[in-house]
Amino acid sequence: QQAARAGTTRLLAPGCGGAMMRGDPEGDRLTGAGATGQAGAAGHSLAGIAIERYLRWHWAFFGGAVLTTATACGTMVYWIRHFTFAPATFFFELFIFVYGLMMLVLDWPTPHLRNHKHVQAVRNHIYKFALFMTRFTGRGFWYLFLATLVFGALWDTGINWFLGLTCTAYLAILGFVAVMKGLAMTYKLKRVHGCIRNKGITTNELLPGGHPGLSGPQFKDMVERVTEEKDVFADDEIDYIINALAFTPYHDSKVTVEELKYWLLPGPALMV
């Protein structure tokens, strides 16, 4: 009981508000799993968030994927119809098409197709070989890159300057805003990491007793307890953070003990 009270005291100890930016670089490797949130909070699934808020970004990313794929298809048809022998241009368009398909697989907003076994297999490979594309910040930089390809395919070739300008503008704005939002979430998550390490809190003290991990609401409650700040993360940001912490692309919106241990190790900020 004394140990439990001591752990709770550290969890609620003052001095880790907005000024706390970084953790102890010499800290020991953490183990365990520990004390946060009300048991009832686990009942609030992120499924509702996925429908009400998370899909807003999903639809924006999905729109960018559709624009990229449509640009590739349209320009390939254009060059074929004009009987132009331009193998370099054709492969350039082919790469845009493949990139567009990859983003369609990642950003398809409806669960029925996302749960198809072949789609899941492709997502697993993307998660393994192109992990940056599954991160909010990485996806933002990727759409900035796709904006340059679409600009080259439509504007530079003179196929359609208007579509080249509008499609490029959409992808560039989407990418820039996503990068800014991702960096903001990364900064705030680093603050939480530093706060936990400076207080000496272990994973055993972060998890509710007997629970194998943290659900989204429990993770948010834990963050508010250790930082002593309300609404550090919005509800629709929690799923992106859990996705960044997860070892696999399918995590049921929960952070496991092993994922918490890895996150709390000393090192650079985890990119969201």
Side-chain angles (χ1 to χ4, degrees), residues 125-179:
H125 280 84
I126 294 174
Y127 199 91
K128 182 177 181 180
F129 298 108
L131 184 62
F132 74 95
M133 292 174 61
T134 68
R135 298 290 186 261
F136 205 95
T137 306
R139 195 167 300 184
F141 280 116
W142 182 249
Y143 273 109
L144 286 174
F145 170 66
L146 291 181
T148 64
L149 298 186
V150 170
F151 183 83
L154 292 174
W155 179 283
D156 284 350
T157 58
I159 292 178
N160 192 308
W161 291 346
F162 174 76
L163 288 179
L165 180 61
T166 54
C167 293
T168 300
Y170 177 85
L171 293 172
I173 293 172
L174 174 64
F176 178 78
V177 174
V179 167

Side-chain angles (χ1 to χ4, degrees), residues 54-135:
Y54 185 61
L55 279 184
R56 292 184 303 182
W57 277 102
H58 248 38
W59 281 111
F61 287 139
F62 179 67
V66 170
L67 283 179
T68 304
T69 308
T71 297
C73 293
T75 50
M76 280 193 293
V77 170
Y78 173 87
W79 293 117
I80 292 173
R81 287 183 58 188
H82 286 75
F83 299 103
T84 303
F85 181 74
T89 300
F90 178 79
F91 281 106
F92 174 75
E93 310 295 348
L94 184 61
F95 284 136
I96 299 177
F97 178 72
V98 173
Y99 295 154
L101 285 183
M102 291 172 60
M103 301 317 296
L104 283 176
V105 170
L106 280 178
D107 296 321
W108 194 273
T110 57
H112 300 296
L113 184 60
R114 289 168 65 91
N115 294 330
H116 190 277
K117 62 179 181 179
H118 297 306
V119 174
Q120 288 188 354
V122 175
R123 288 169 62 86
N124 284 332
H125 280 84
I126 294 174
Y127 199 91
K128 182 177 181 180
F129 298 108
L131 184 62
F132 74 95
M133 292 174 61
T134 68
R135 298 290 186 261

Side-chain angles (χ1 to χ4, degrees), residues 161-197:
W161 291 346
F162 174 76
L163 288 179
L165 180 61
T166 54
C167 293
T168 300
Y170 177 85
L171 293 172
I173 293 172
L174 174 64
F176 178 78
V177 174
V179 167
M180 292 298 102
K181 183 175 178 63
L183 291 177
M185 289 190 289
T186 298
Y187 173 78
K188 291 191 291 184
L189 189 62
K190 181 60 177 176
R191 279 184 51 212
V192 177
H193 175 275
C195 204
I196 293 173
R197 289 191 57 81

